[in-house]
Amino acid sequence: MTLLWFLLGLILPTSIGWLLVRVLEWQTDIVQPLERITLGFVLGFPLMSFVMFLAHIFAGLPLNLVGFLSVQTVLLAILGGIFYAVSRKRSLAVTVASLPVSEPLGTWTKILGLILGVWTLGKIISGAVLLLLNPIYLDDTIDNWNLRAKMFFVDESFALHQEVLGGIASYPPTVPLIKTWFAVLYSEWSEGLVNLIHVVWFVAVLILVFFAIRRHASLLYALIGTYMLANLPLYVIQGTNTYTDVFLSALLLIAVSCAFHAVCASSVQVRSAFLRLSGAAIILSTVVKNEGLALYLPIVLVVVAASMWVLHRKNHISTMQLMQSFGIWFGAGVVLSAPWILYKMQNGLVFGNAQGISNLALKWQPNVLTAITVNTFFEGNWIFLFPLLIGLLIWRWRSAFRSSLAVLTAFLLLAIGAQCFAFLFTSLSTEAIYQTGFARGFTQLMPLLVMLTTLLIAESQTKWSESSHRP
Amino acid sequence: MNRAAVASFGIFLSLLPSVAFAAERTTWDFQNNNVPGEWEVTGTFSAESQPDGVHITANDDGTFTQMIDLPHRIDVIALTVSAQTPTDMMIVWHPNSLPAGALGQRQIRIPAGTLQHVTLDMSMIGYWDPHTDTLGIALPKGANIVLQRMDVEGYSFFERVLEAVRTFWTFDTFSSYTINFLWGPLLTFNETGRLHLFDNLPPLAQSANRYFYFILALTAIGLLLHRFYVGMASNASADSFRKRAPYAFLFFFVFGALWILYDLRMGLEYFSYAKTDIGSHMMKREDRIFRGFLSFYTTAERAATVLATEERYAVFSPKSTPFMSIMRYYTYPSAPLLDGEAITPGMYYVVILRPDISISAEGRLISGDTPISPPGDLIEDYGDASFLFRARP
């Protein structure tokens, strides 16, 4: 029964997201049907819940069934209307959603793929069972994600409860509101029901990473990348527990991989459509976790701006197109992020996670480097992903830094560099030394790290194949 | 592997001396007024040999050591000892790499009272020397102990390899840190280390990753050497070799095989979490245990049905646990009292896993001998030192 209500709860927000993707694609088809539904699911929920938050704050709409349905109906109507208007002109559209041709898989590859697929599915099903039937037990869930969701559900209103929640009140309300939506629909607080969405986010990011890789490499490498991500031990743990970093990782994957697709795109329409999707994802990430606003938004902006500037200098895009791309980004950013930023400022909420980033004094922190090394290379968190990636970055440095893959490389190096800087030079160091926060940052970047790794392997094998077949 | 190879390996194993698979042990038994070996005392100790062992009283910090020359290495030390008061004693030894007189040390805490049997894996301790020439104990000033027996055990090479393989497949349980990091496959080289793998945090063990990296590095170096010295020897053979055995492909093949092995290890650990939860919590109606939270959730769910109708209530739970936060979550908008808030008449108290709290003869909650509530009544007993209590209005 819980499962039925859960599936029912997915329909409207995913439809909103699907329409949003359709509108952002405008007159082109840039993604595959399954990919579009998945994108719709990932983007639709934060959009719906954040608009719900705004409607509550500014229009007093209650956080009950009427309130949620009103917001979703309005969003469906607006996006549906735009989509209808656009689709009438779709006969002019250039269809570009096809994926590169791939050689069929060999028999042994299929057998191994099947075994690893069943293995991965087993983990996902186990994770879903644990989420459905276990009580909540993780600190951030008890003190933030689920507690605030229950508060919204019981009170039917948004209150900061700073006297109880302290610094946690500064966390964006989006994820708790998503959980509130399921409870509101069910008319009852059900632990399993509100927690099940975490494993769906995990599955969604696997689908998205598959298509992100497949767009540039053969089926084999898309499957390898998906298998790697789906079985990284700490990513599985995060994906099948009630934390939000995997959800944020999905948004970052969309934001950066779409910027990468945009750079690789051969037509202006396709490039613009990918940029719009990228912009939507990074802007929505700012209302999901504080890192989205404080850390990732500036880095994505820098990387996309640099990429566009390079394309402009190579005469791949005109000045007008450059301005248009950023105009859309900036406009959407202001519309969505500004209310949340203003709300934070008005209520004295910090811009870091529970402690303000402006209060952090810079000083070298001993023992952090050792802790980071152990966590990254000598524990069971990421298998051998980092040695492999570092080796590939050295071996394939030209591809990693001087081809369009540089979009991924630059973003990842800047993001990891910023995180390491914060741990090495500020009081956030305790989170690295006690290992409470460091790997969380890697979790958020993991789909992109796997994507870059897999594409570099694919590229190295393609180059090898070419050279080995030289006469 | 073909049958001949398997048979050869079997014959090879059977021909190995049996000692290769047996731990060797040396015992110093101090019972029955016996003092085996020649022990040297530094500091002002009084040591008296008695039927139950040697009684040592330390008037000052000092050591009780002996020179040893054993026919086997030492990996594990076991002590049978008792202390009158909780005592932080140390195992001390002389690492052969250090000058005479310099001692390595490992602290152990002996609780007061009954005889303790302490077994220690020494192989992962810094400066430990398995062939040390001096071994003993050190005691702080004021210590008063009875040392009954000391055993040292050395593992053969094959036993150490076997224990390392067993440890590799020894899984952690889902703990509060698991959401932030996983220890991954670890290696210890004796049974004691394996059985007590997760008793110390961080575990006293090696990360298996270093051996994986070693294999990968060896593969890469081997392939590179082949590429430059064999593959390039002649153009014809180089070309044919490249076609038969592409270097990058071979490397990725080895890498992929190790990755899948590692995934198998970590995946089975993940499934073991699920198996534990299903067996101890999900499938049980009574006596449910959830990870390190023990029976807390049974108490919380039952108490919440009563407490949710109250405006405020009090929680007594062990320190450094999230029990109060979880109760707040379960009963919202009803909330537990915060530190310093006043208790009101008729208020409910939920006591969670606190064996030190009981109800006195006059009906008050007492922690030890200290009253912590006005008189009231037991409403419901949940077992495991957990119950619901209500102060009289």
Side-chain angles (χ1 to χ4, degrees), chain A residues 161-302:
Chain A
H161 291 290
Q162 276 175 302
E163 72 290 347
V164 179
L165 298 173
I168 284 166
S170 72
Y171 279 72
T174 311
V175 171
L177 277 170
I178 291 171
K179 289 170 178 262
T180 307
W181 155 242
F182 284 104
V184 159
L185 192 65
Y186 190 49
S187 306
E188 194 180 304
W189 187 259
S190 161
E191 217 62 72
L193 177 71
V194 302
N195 290 337
L196 207 52
I197 195 161
H198 292 273
V199 78
V200 188
W201 279 325
F202 179 60
V203 173
V205 80
L206 298 181
I207 294 170
L208 292 177
V209 90
F210 172 85
F211 282 109
I213 297 169
R214 182 69 185 91
R215 196 161 275 122
H216 302 275
S218 68
L219 177 63
L220 177 66
Y221 292 105
L223 289 173
I224 288 174
T226 311
Y227 159 75
M228 281 167 77
L229 182 65
N231 291 281
L232 288 170
L234 194 59
Y235 199 73
V236 177
I237 292 285
Q238 288 272 343
T240 54
N241 274 287
T242 45
Y243 274 13
T244 314
D245 300 283
V246 165
F247 180 35
L248 182 61
S249 80
L251 290 166
L252 291 177
L253 173 69
I254 299 168
V256 182
S257 68
C258 284
F260 170 60
H261 303 326
V263 169
C264 299
S266 53
S267 78
V268 174
Q269 291 93 331
V270 173
R271 180 174 297 121
S272 301
F274 273 125
L275 278 178
R276 285 191 293 270
L277 259 179
S278 167
I282 194 64
I283 288 161
L284 284 173
S285 80
T286 64
V287 294
V288 167
K289 283 202 83 178
N290 283 328
E291 292 94 319
L293 184 61
L295 179 64
Y296 297 122
L297 176 65
I299 296 175
V300 172
L301 272 174
V302 167

Side-chain angles (χ1 to χ4, degrees), chain A residues 98-114:
Chain A
S98 61
L99 297 170
V101 179
S102 177
E103 283 182 22
L105 301 175
T107 308
W108 285 108
T109 313
K110 280 183 188 165
I111 291 170
L112 184 64
L114 190 69

Side-chain angles (χ1 to χ4, degrees), chain B residues 39 56 73 86 233 294 325 345:
Chain B
W39 294 79
I56 305 174
R73 51 185 284 128
L294 306 175
S325 298

Side-chain angles (χ1 to χ4, degrees), chain B residues 12 48 68-69 79 102 191 227 239 280 289 308 324 356 359:
Chain B
F12 167 72
E48 192 182 344
I68 54 172
D69 183 16
L79 290 176
E191 192 184 25
R227 168 89 173 81
D239 201 39
S280 65
I289 296 289
M324 195 156 123
D356 61 307
I359 301 173

Side-chain angles (χ1 to χ4, degrees), chain A residues 152-163:
Chain A
F152 300 155
F153 171 69
V154 172
D155 301 344
E156 294 189 2
S157 68
F158 180 87
L160 287 171
H161 291 290
Q162 276 175 302
E163 72 290 347

Side-chain angles (χ1 to χ4, degrees), chain A residues 112 116 119 122-123 126-127 129-130 133-139 142-143 146-147 150-151 154-155 161 164 189 191 227-228 231-234 236-238 240-241 243 375 377-385 387-388 392 395 434-436 439-440 457 460-461 464 468, chain B residues 174-186 207-210 212-213 216 239 242-243 245-249 251-252 255 258-260 262-268 270-271 273-274 277-278 281-282 290-291 293 297 301 322 325-326 328-333 338:
Chain A
L112 184 64
L116 295 177
W119 172 251
K123 289 184 191 175
S126 300
V129 170
L130 296 186
L133 298 177
N134 269 348
I136 61 161
Y137 48 89
L138 298 168
D139 288 346
I142 298 161
D143 296 332
N146 280 30
L147 176 65
K150 192 170 185 183
M151 285 172 161
V154 172
D155 301 344
H161 291 290
V164 179
W189 187 259
E191 217 62 72
Y227 159 75
M228 281 167 77
N231 291 281
L232 288 170
L234 194 59
V236 177
I237 292 285
Q238 288 272 343
T240 54
N241 274 287
Y243 274 13
N375 186 284
F377 297 104
F378 293 100
E379 287 178 355
N381 306 324
W382 313 118
I383 310 189
F384 318 125
L385 184 74
L388 176 64
L392 286 165
W395 181 34
Y434 297 113
Q435 301 200 50
T436 51
R440 212 77 70 82
I457 296 173
S460 75
Q461 290 300 286
W464 175 83
S468 68
Chain B
F174 197 108
S175 307
S176 55
Y177 56 74
T178 307
I179 191 69
N180 293 320
F181 66 92
L182 301 148
W183 294 117
L186 298 168
S207 165
N209 289 25
R210 61 170 75 178
F212 282 106
Y213 294 151
L216 288 172
D239 201 39
R242 252 207 311 274
K243 281 181 182 166
Y247 295 98
F249 176 80
F251 180 78
F252 285 129
F255 192 96
L258 294 181
W259 184 292
I260 289 173
Y262 204 108
D263 177 25
L264 184 67
R265 157 66 180 77
M266 296 308 292
L268 287 175
Y270 180 78
F271 286 122
Y273 301 155
D277 286 350
I278 290 168
H281 181 77
M282 291 178 199
F290 185 70
R291 302 181 184 171
F293 292 79
Y297 283 98
E301 284 164 13
S325 298
I326 298 174
R328 176 184 64 187
Y329 169 72
Y330 270 16
T331 61
Y332 185 83
L338 301 174

Side-chain angles (χ1 to χ4, degrees), chain B residues 36-187:
Chain B
E38 291 181 15
W39 294 79
E40 187 185 336
V41 173
T42 64
T44 47
F45 274 19
S46 74
E48 192 182 344
S49 187
Q50 291 192 4
D52 59 343
V54 59
H55 286 228
I56 305 174
T57 309
N59 300 319
D60 202 354
D61 293 353
T63 61
F64 181 71
T65 59
Q66 69 164 329
M67 301 282 284
I68 54 172
D69 183 16
L70 301 180
H72 61 85
R73 51 185 284 128
I74 302 173
D75 298 304
V76 173
I77 295 177
L79 290 176
T80 308
V81 63
S82 65
Q84 276 199 346
T85 54
T87 304
D88 289 320
M89 61 182 283
M90 278 184 278
I91 301 284
V92 292
W93 66 94
H94 171 242
N96 289 323
S97 58
L98 295 186
L103 293 176
Q105 57 188 41
R106 178 180 180 181
Q107 186 173 304
I108 46 174
R109 186 165 182 80
I110 307 295
T114 55
L115 206 62
Q116 302 289 317
H117 187 72
V118 185
T119 311
L120 303 164
D121 170 18
M122 300 300 290
S123 60
M124 294 294 156
I125 303 297
Y127 288 106
W128 172 247
D129 183 347
H131 302 288
T132 178
D133 57 11
T134 306
L135 182 67
I137 57 172
L139 292 170
K141 181 181 176 181
N144 188 341
I145 68 158
V146 177
L147 178 61
Q148 192 176 86
R149 187 181 157 108
M150 189 172 184
D151 295 282
V152 294
E153 210 171 52
Y155 281 66
S156 68
F157 173 75
F158 290 101
E159 263 190 327
R160 276 182 279 146
V161 172
L162 194 65
E163 281 301 333
V165 172
R166 284 176 177 157
T167 317
F168 181 88
W169 295 102
T170 301
F171 304 141
D172 195 5
T173 51
F174 197 108
S175 307
S176 55
Y177 56 74
T178 307
I179 191 69
N180 293 320
F181 66 92
L182 301 148
W183 294 117
L186 298 168
L187 301 181

